[in-house]
Amino acid sequence: MSATAVLITGASGGIGYELAKLFARDHHNLVLVARSADKLAQVATELQAHGVTVKTIALDLAATPAPKFLFDQLQREGIAIEILVNNAGFGAFGEFAQMPIDEVLGQIDLNIRALTELTRLFLPPMIARRSGRIMHVASTAAFQPGPLMAVYYATKAYVLSFSEAIANELSDTGVTVTCFCPGATHTDFAKRAGMENSRLFKQVGAMSAEKVALDGYRAVMEGRGLAISGAHNWLVAQSTRFAPRKMVTAISRWIAEKAD
Ligand SMILES: NC(=O)c1ccc[n+]([C@@H]2O[C@H](COP(=O)([O-])OP(=O)(O)OC[C@H]3O[C@@H](n4cnc5c(N)ncnc54)[C@H](OP(=O)(O)O)[C@@H]3O)[C@@H](O)[C@H]2O)c1
């Protein structure tokens, strides 16, 4: 494969798949990562029609050695990552005290640890080339606490804080860091989280993954530090800055609860 590519984690479906389509249409070679080898193979076949090279690597990024394994493999193959899209992530719904510990730690391992390690690994070569883009897919969950999804919301608050801090550190390097925050989006996320019947997805409404990915794609290509998908989501994120924290937290819980 040619020497440069965009690396997208969680590209077998949802927002990551839609992002992969946009990059392929703009003639970027791709490295796509997720656990499902079969789904990745289908995506690769589809996107190769755009005349780009698509490499797929089936990996569970929540497993400790996975980020380093991925980095080493791409180094060995001489593939330079021009854009890193840390998109893979999941949420689990339920009271923290009852949540199975593997669900608790799994969210931290994927949403925080893998994202941080991949960034730490792929960033130095970008700085050395004085060129590169990093996209972190956080969430509007980053802006307030989330009762019934306490760990998920906290992981996304980490992603926002981490992204803004390193964007500042990298300001003169030629490397941009974009923290992209979708709100509720129609993907497999809600089903995986066990929150399909929440007020958020039933009543507030969700955006299409296609539209969300386009917002994210534009933000990363413009090198914006923070982008929130959807005007309504932007308004909600702003309102959390002025309302009392207890009230924001109570509303966040109400939205996560089951719709009548
Ligand atoms: N949908 C929403 O409402 C929403 C809102 C805000 C933010 N987000 C964020 O957007 C990102 C993408 O989510 P989505 O909505 O597109 O969800 P999705 O449809 O469930 O897609 C998640 C992707 O991540 C991959 N993945 C999951 N666990 C993985 C693991 N351990 N290792 C490697 N890949 C893994 C999945 O593929 P495999 O199952 O094949 O591994 C899939 O490709 C996440 O970070 C999510 O937190 C979503």
Side-chain angles (χ1 to χ4, degrees):
M1 116 174 253
S2 91
T4 62
V6 178
L7 169 59
I8 306 176
T9 69
S12 64
I15 297 167
Y17 162 68
E18 295 295 337
L19 282 167
K21 284 205 289 199
L22 293 168
F23 281 110
R25 278 180 203 156
D26 275 353
H27 314 295
H28 293 274
N29 295 319
L30 297 170
V31 177
L32 306 181
V33 180
R35 290 166 303 177
S36 326
D38 50 344
K39 286 192 199 160
L40 284 176
Q42 278 175 25
V43 174
T45 307
E46 178 193 331
L47 299 187
Q48 275 153 359
H50 294 284
V52 297
T53 310
V54 184
K55 179 179 182 64
T56 63
I57 304 178
L59 264 185
D60 179 355
L61 287 169
T64 312
K68 182 75 165 72
F69 173 88
L70 176 60
F71 178 76
D72 288 345
Q73 179 170 342
L74 296 178
Q75 286 276 100
R76 271 197 310 276
E77 295 180 18
I79 299 167
I81 298 304
E82 49 171 341
I83 304 176
L84 167 64
V85 181
N86 272 312
N87 163 76
F90 81 100
F93 178 86
E95 290 201 7
F96 176 69
Q98 272 93 53
M99 187 168 285
I101 195 67
D102 55 334
E103 290 277 274
V104 171
L105 299 180
Q107 292 173 82
I108 295 171
D109 284 341
L110 184 62
N111 304 2
I112 295 182
R113 197 191 48 73
L115 173 143
T116 307
E117 188 175 356
L118 287 171
T119 300
R120 178 64 185 84
L121 290 165
F122 285 99
L123 184 53
M126 290 181 183
I127 296 172
R129 291 192 302 270
R130 292 201 62 78
S131 149
R133 297 178 192 278
I134 296 176
M135 177 184 193
H136 287 159
V137 180
S139 167
T140 49
F143 298 98
Q144 68 280 304
L148 304 178
M149 289 191 88
V151 174
Y152 177 72
Y153 276 55
T155 63
K156 295 302 183 176
Y158 169 92
V159 175
L160 174 60
S161 172
F162 172 63
S163 304
E164 290 186 307
I166 62 170
N168 174 284
E169 290 179 8
L170 294 166
S171 58
D172 293 326
T173 61
V175 180
T176 60
V177 180
T178 299
C179 183
F180 178 58
C181 299
T185 308
H186 287 297
T187 66
D188 289 342
F189 175 88
K191 191 170 175 212
R192 168 68 184 87
M195 60 176 309
E196 282 169 303
N197 295 321
S198 63
R199 290 194 179 97
L200 178 62
F201 278 88
K202 284 262 171 186
Q203 291 174 356
V204 179
M207 290 172 65
S208 75
E210 211 172 351
K211 166 78 178 88
V212 167
L214 186 58
D215 286 347
Y217 183 74
R218 287 183 176 143
V220 73
M221 297 320 269
E222 287 166 12
R224 289 168 59 192
L226 173 64
I228 298 169
S229 188
H232 61 298
N233 289 322
W234 183 87
L235 266 176
V236 171
Q238 300 313 312
S239 67
T240 61
R241 294 163 61 192
F242 304 108
R245 294 286 285 175
K246 254 191 159 169
M247 190 172 104
V248 167
T249 307
I251 294 172
S252 180
R253 180 187 179 119
W254 186 83
I255 287 172
E257 282 169 348
K258 203 165 166 255
D260 301 324

